[in-house]
Each structure stands twice: as structure tokens, then as C-alpha cells.
Amino acid sequence: MAGGGTYFGPAVASLLRNVVANPGASNTPDFLTDREREILQLIAESNSTKDIANKLGISMKTVDNHRTNLMRKLNLHDVASLTRYALDIGLIEPKGKP
């Protein structure tokens, strides 16, 4: 305790900041919006930004924004990681498996 208050170490303080910044976030796919799941699936299916924008009737910039938000929410840093995540949660099926 410092001055009658409670002290949190750097790791706990960082976790608390993330919870406050993303109140609905968790480790399950349920915290993704329907649109984010849709974008994630299309990304994982190897669609380009332009293809996703055309399929959904949105701008390429909006697709980029959704991809950036997905990466931030999921703490992933590239499209390959997004694809692995989509596989892990069953959003897409592995190709080439009998």
C-alpha cells in the first residue's frame, strides 16, 4: 500500500488498462462482433482487401480498419496469425484434409 491506497505491479496495471480499454473482450470469439467474425472468415479464406470490400459493399479502408481492430483485440500481428485463430475457433475448415 502506498499512502493508504492499493499498489498494482506493472503486469497487473497493464492487464487492468486492457480490461478498461476493451470491457467486452475475453479469450473467446464471442467478444468479436458479427462483422468482425465475417471479416475474419473472409481474411482467413485468403480474400484480398478489395475482394472483401466488394463482397460486403464497404470501402477498402473500412476492411483495413476491421483487420486492424481484429489484430488489436486478439493481440495478433499478421494475417497468418488471424488465419490460425480462425482455424482454432472453427470459423474455417482446414483445406486439403480428407
mmCIF file with all atom_site columns, all heavy atoms in Angstrom, residues 66-77:
data_model
loop_
_atom_site.group_PDB
_atom_site.id
_atom_site.type_symbol
_atom_site.label_atom_id
_atom_site.label_alt_id
_atom_site.label_comp_id
_atom_site.label_asym_id
_atom_site.label_entity_id
_atom_site.label_seq_id
_atom_site.pdbx_PDB_ins_code
_atom_site.Cartn_x
_atom_site.Cartn_y
_atom_site.Cartn_z
_atom_site.occupancy
_atom_site.B_iso_or_equiv
_atom_site.pdbx_formal_charge
_atom_site.auth_seq_id
_atom_site.auth_comp_id
_atom_site.auth_asym_id
_atom_site.auth_atom_id
_atom_site.pdbx_PDB_model_num
ATOM 1   N N   . HIS A 1 66 ? -11.202 -2.803  -39.916 1.00 0.00 ? 66 HIS A N   1
ATOM 2   C CA  . HIS A 1 66 ? -11.658 -4.014  -39.236 1.00 0.00 ? 66 HIS A CA  1
ATOM 3   C C   . HIS A 1 66 ? -10.485 -4.961  -38.974 1.00 0.00 ? 66 HIS A C   1
ATOM 4   O O   . HIS A 1 66 ? -10.382 -5.538  -37.884 1.00 0.00 ? 66 HIS A O   1
ATOM 5   C CB  . HIS A 1 66 ? -12.725 -4.735  -40.062 1.00 0.00 ? 66 HIS A CB  1
ATOM 6   C CG  . HIS A 1 66 ? -14.088 -4.155  -39.944 1.00 0.00 ? 66 HIS A CG  1
ATOM 7   N ND1 . HIS A 1 66 ? -14.802 -4.114  -38.758 1.00 0.00 ? 66 HIS A ND1 1
ATOM 8   C CD2 . HIS A 1 66 ? -14.898 -3.585  -40.874 1.00 0.00 ? 66 HIS A CD2 1
ATOM 9   C CE1 . HIS A 1 66 ? -15.980 -3.551  -38.964 1.00 0.00 ? 66 HIS A CE1 1
ATOM 10  N NE2 . HIS A 1 66 ? -16.058 -3.226  -40.247 1.00 0.00 ? 66 HIS A NE2 1
ATOM 11  N N   . ARG A 1 67 ? -9.600  -5.138  -39.954 1.00 0.00 ? 67 ARG A N   1
ATOM 12  C CA  . ARG A 1 67 ? -8.437  -6.020  -39.780 1.00 0.00 ? 67 ARG A CA  1
ATOM 13  C C   . ARG A 1 67 ? -7.555  -5.504  -38.643 1.00 0.00 ? 67 ARG A C   1
ATOM 14  O O   . ARG A 1 67 ? -7.123  -6.267  -37.779 1.00 0.00 ? 67 ARG A O   1
ATOM 15  C CB  . ARG A 1 67 ? -7.637  -6.148  -41.076 1.00 0.00 ? 67 ARG A CB  1
ATOM 16  C CG  . ARG A 1 67 ? -6.449  -7.078  -40.909 1.00 0.00 ? 67 ARG A CG  1
ATOM 17  C CD  . ARG A 1 67 ? -5.634  -7.416  -42.150 1.00 0.00 ? 67 ARG A CD  1
ATOM 18  N NE  . ARG A 1 67 ? -5.618  -6.512  -43.265 1.00 0.00 ? 67 ARG A NE  1
ATOM 19  C CZ  . ARG A 1 67 ? -6.487  -6.477  -44.292 1.00 0.00 ? 67 ARG A CZ  1
ATOM 20  N NH1 . ARG A 1 67 ? -7.506  -7.286  -44.339 1.00 0.00 ? 67 ARG A NH1 1
ATOM 21  N NH2 . ARG A 1 67 ? -6.353  -5.615  -45.269 1.00 0.00 ? 67 ARG A NH2 1
ATOM 22  N N   . THR A 1 68 ? -7.322  -4.199  -38.624 1.00 0.00 ? 68 THR A N   1
ATOM 23  C CA  . THR A 1 68 ? -6.514  -3.590  -37.560 1.00 0.00 ? 68 THR A CA  1
ATOM 24  C C   . THR A 1 68 ? -7.164  -3.815  -36.196 1.00 0.00 ? 68 THR A C   1
ATOM 25  O O   . THR A 1 68 ? -6.486  -4.180  -35.227 1.00 0.00 ? 68 THR A O   1
ATOM 26  C CB  . THR A 1 68 ? -6.322  -2.089  -37.832 1.00 0.00 ? 68 THR A CB  1
ATOM 27  O OG1 . THR A 1 68 ? -5.630  -1.934  -39.073 1.00 0.00 ? 68 THR A OG1 1
ATOM 28  C CG2 . THR A 1 68 ? -5.540  -1.418  -36.717 1.00 0.00 ? 68 THR A CG2 1
ATOM 29  N N   . ASN A 1 69 ? -8.479  -3.622  -36.110 1.00 0.00 ? 69 ASN A N   1
ATOM 30  C CA  . ASN A 1 69 ? -9.196  -3.826  -34.852 1.00 0.00 ? 69 ASN A CA  1
ATOM 31  C C   . ASN A 1 69 ? -9.148  -5.283  -34.410 1.00 0.00 ? 69 ASN A C   1
ATOM 32  O O   . ASN A 1 69 ? -8.988  -5.574  -33.218 1.00 0.00 ? 69 ASN A O   1
ATOM 33  C CB  . ASN A 1 69 ? -10.648 -3.356  -34.966 1.00 0.00 ? 69 ASN A CB  1
ATOM 34  C CG  . ASN A 1 69 ? -10.767 -1.852  -35.045 1.00 0.00 ? 69 ASN A CG  1
ATOM 35  O OD1 . ASN A 1 69 ? -9.866  -1.122  -34.639 1.00 0.00 ? 69 ASN A OD1 1
ATOM 36  N ND2 . ASN A 1 69 ? -11.865 -1.378  -35.599 1.00 0.00 ? 69 ASN A ND2 1
ATOM 37  N N   . LEU A 1 70 ? -9.280  -6.202  -35.359 1.00 0.00 ? 70 LEU A N   1
ATOM 38  C CA  . LEU A 1 70 ? -9.184  -7.624  -35.030 1.00 0.00 ? 70 LEU A CA  1
ATOM 39  C C   . LEU A 1 70 ? -7.815  -7.952  -34.449 1.00 0.00 ? 70 LEU A C   1
ATOM 40  O O   . LEU A 1 70 ? -7.706  -8.637  -33.430 1.00 0.00 ? 70 LEU A O   1
ATOM 41  C CB  . LEU A 1 70 ? -9.414  -8.477  -36.283 1.00 0.00 ? 70 LEU A CB  1
ATOM 42  C CG  . LEU A 1 70 ? -10.851 -8.688  -36.708 1.00 0.00 ? 70 LEU A CG  1
ATOM 43  C CD1 . LEU A 1 70 ? -10.916 -9.206  -38.140 1.00 0.00 ? 70 LEU A CD1 1
ATOM 44  C CD2 . LEU A 1 70 ? -11.545 -9.648  -35.754 1.00 0.00 ? 70 LEU A CD2 1
ATOM 45  N N   . MET A 1 71 ? -6.780  -7.459  -35.105 1.00 0.00 ? 71 MET A N   1
ATOM 46  C CA  . MET A 1 71 ? -5.422  -7.731  -34.640 1.00 0.00 ? 71 MET A CA  1
ATOM 47  C C   . MET A 1 71 ? -5.198  -7.156  -33.234 1.00 0.00 ? 71 MET A C   1
ATOM 48  O O   . MET A 1 71 ? -4.590  -7.803  -32.388 1.00 0.00 ? 71 MET A O   1
ATOM 49  C CB  . MET A 1 71 ? -4.395  -7.186  -35.623 1.00 0.00 ? 71 MET A CB  1
ATOM 50  C CG  . MET A 1 71 ? -4.323  -7.969  -36.906 1.00 0.00 ? 71 MET A CG  1
ATOM 51  S SD  . MET A 1 71 ? -3.112  -7.260  -38.037 1.00 0.00 ? 71 MET A SD  1
ATOM 52  C CE  . MET A 1 71 ? -3.132  -8.480  -39.352 1.00 0.00 ? 71 MET A CE  1
ATOM 53  N N   . ARG A 1 72 ? -5.733  -5.979  -33.000 1.00 0.00 ? 72 ARG A N   1
ATOM 54  C CA  . ARG A 1 72 ? -5.590  -5.354  -31.681 1.00 0.00 ? 72 ARG A CA  1
ATOM 55  C C   . ARG A 1 72 ? -6.352  -6.149  -30.627 1.00 0.00 ? 72 ARG A C   1
ATOM 56  O O   . ARG A 1 72 ? -5.811  -6.496  -29.580 1.00 0.00 ? 72 ARG A O   1
ATOM 57  C CB  . ARG A 1 72 ? -6.092  -3.909  -31.728 1.00 0.00 ? 72 ARG A CB  1
ATOM 58  C CG  . ARG A 1 72 ? -5.979  -3.178  -30.383 1.00 0.00 ? 72 ARG A CG  1
ATOM 59  C CD  . ARG A 1 72 ? -6.626  -1.802  -30.404 1.00 0.00 ? 72 ARG A CD  1
ATOM 60  N NE  . ARG A 1 72 ? -7.953  -1.770  -30.996 1.00 0.00 ? 72 ARG A NE  1
ATOM 61  C CZ  . ARG A 1 72 ? -9.076  -2.180  -30.386 1.00 0.00 ? 72 ARG A CZ  1
ATOM 62  N NH1 . ARG A 1 72 ? -9.024  -2.665  -29.164 1.00 0.00 ? 72 ARG A NH1 1
ATOM 63  N NH2 . ARG A 1 72 ? -10.237 -2.093  -30.992 1.00 0.00 ? 72 ARG A NH2 1
ATOM 64  N N   . LYS A 1 73 ? -7.613  -6.466  -30.909 1.00 0.00 ? 73 LYS A N   1
ATOM 65  C CA  . LYS A 1 73 ? -8.440  -7.198  -29.962 1.00 0.00 ? 73 LYS A CA  1
ATOM 66  C C   . LYS A 1 73 ? -7.861  -8.569  -29.621 1.00 0.00 ? 73 LYS A C   1
ATOM 67  O O   . LYS A 1 73 ? -7.930  -9.017  -28.488 1.00 0.00 ? 73 LYS A O   1
ATOM 68  C CB  . LYS A 1 73 ? -9.847  -7.417  -30.534 1.00 0.00 ? 73 LYS A CB  1
ATOM 69  C CG  . LYS A 1 73 ? -10.837 -6.364  -30.219 1.00 0.00 ? 73 LYS A CG  1
ATOM 70  C CD  . LYS A 1 73 ? -12.188 -6.809  -30.737 1.00 0.00 ? 73 LYS A CD  1
ATOM 71  C CE  . LYS A 1 73 ? -13.297 -5.960  -30.192 1.00 0.00 ? 73 LYS A CE  1
ATOM 72  N NZ  . LYS A 1 73 ? -14.610 -6.419  -30.685 1.00 0.00 ? 73 LYS A NZ  1
ATOM 73  N N   . LEU A 1 74 ? -7.323  -9.228  -30.650 1.00 0.00 ? 74 LEU A N   1
ATOM 74  C CA  . LEU A 1 74 ? -6.833  -10.591 -30.463 1.00 0.00 ? 74 LEU A CA  1
ATOM 75  C C   . LEU A 1 74 ? -5.348  -10.647 -30.126 1.00 0.00 ? 74 LEU A C   1
ATOM 76  O O   . LEU A 1 74 ? -4.805  -11.722 -29.906 1.00 0.00 ? 74 LEU A O   1
ATOM 77  C CB  . LEU A 1 74 ? -7.102  -11.401 -31.742 1.00 0.00 ? 74 LEU A CB  1
ATOM 78  C CG  . LEU A 1 74 ? -8.574  -11.541 -32.126 1.00 0.00 ? 74 LEU A CG  1
ATOM 79  C CD1 . LEU A 1 74 ? -8.711  -12.159 -33.514 1.00 0.00 ? 74 LEU A CD1 1
ATOM 80  C CD2 . LEU A 1 74 ? -9.325  -12.350 -31.079 1.00 0.00 ? 74 LEU A CD2 1
ATOM 81  N N   . ASN A 1 75 ? -4.707  -9.490  -30.124 1.00 0.00 ? 75 ASN A N   1
ATOM 82  C CA  . ASN A 1 75 ? -3.272  -9.399  -29.877 1.00 0.00 ? 75 ASN A CA  1
ATOM 83  C C   . ASN A 1 75 ? -2.495  -10.279 -30.864 1.00 0.00 ? 75 ASN A C   1
ATOM 84  O O   . ASN A 1 75 ? -1.604  -11.034 -30.480 1.00 0.00 ? 75 ASN A O   1
ATOM 85  C CB  . ASN A 1 75 ? -2.932  -9.750  -28.430 1.00 0.00 ? 75 ASN A CB  1
ATOM 86  C CG  . ASN A 1 75 ? -1.526  -9.321  -28.061 1.00 0.00 ? 75 ASN A CG  1
ATOM 87  O OD1 . ASN A 1 75 ? -0.999  -8.352  -28.606 1.00 0.00 ? 75 ASN A OD1 1
ATOM 88  N ND2 . ASN A 1 75 ? -0.902  -10.039 -27.151 1.00 0.00 ? 75 ASN A ND2 1
ATOM 89  N N   . LEU A 1 76 ? -2.876  -10.177 -32.123 1.00 0.00 ? 76 LEU A N   1
ATOM 90  C CA  . LEU A 1 76 ? -2.198  -10.881 -33.210 1.00 0.00 ? 76 LEU A CA  1
ATOM 91  C C   . LEU A 1 76 ? -1.594  -9.840  -34.130 1.00 0.00 ? 76 LEU A C   1
ATOM 92  O O   . LEU A 1 76 ? -2.090  -8.719  -34.208 1.00 0.00 ? 76 LEU A O   1
ATOM 93  C CB  . LEU A 1 76 ? -3.187  -11.778 -33.965 1.00 0.00 ? 76 LEU A CB  1
ATOM 94  C CG  . LEU A 1 76 ? -3.869  -12.845 -33.113 1.00 0.00 ? 76 LEU A CG  1
ATOM 95  C CD1 . LEU A 1 76 ? -4.958  -13.547 -33.911 1.00 0.00 ? 76 LEU A CD1 1
ATOM 96  C CD2 . LEU A 1 76 ? -2.851  -13.848 -32.588 1.00 0.00 ? 76 LEU A CD2 1
ATOM 97  N N   . HIS A 1 77 ? -0.536  -10.228 -34.846 1.00 0.00 ? 77 HIS A N   1
ATOM 98  C CA  . HIS A 1 77 ? 0.211   -9.201  -35.563 1.00 0.00 ? 77 HIS A CA  1
ATOM 99  C C   . HIS A 1 77 ? 0.346   -9.418  -37.061 1.00 0.00 ? 77 HIS A C   1
ATOM 100 O O   . HIS A 1 77 ? 1.023   -8.624  -37.723 1.00 0.00 ? 77 HIS A O   1
ATOM 101 C CB  . HIS A 1 77 ? 1.593   -9.054  -34.919 1.00 0.00 ? 77 HIS A CB  1
ATOM 102 C CG  . HIS A 1 77 ? 1.507   -8.841  -33.436 1.00 0.00 ? 77 HIS A CG  1
ATOM 103 N ND1 . HIS A 1 77 ? 1.047   -7.673  -32.877 1.00 0.00 ? 77 HIS A ND1 1
ATOM 104 C CD2 . HIS A 1 77 ? 1.747   -9.668  -32.395 1.00 0.00 ? 77 HIS A CD2 1
ATOM 105 C CE1 . HIS A 1 77 ? 1.037   -7.776  -31.566 1.00 0.00 ? 77 HIS A CE1 1
ATOM 106 N NE2 . HIS A 1 77 ? 1.459   -8.984  -31.238 1.00 0.00 ? 77 HIS A NE2 1
#
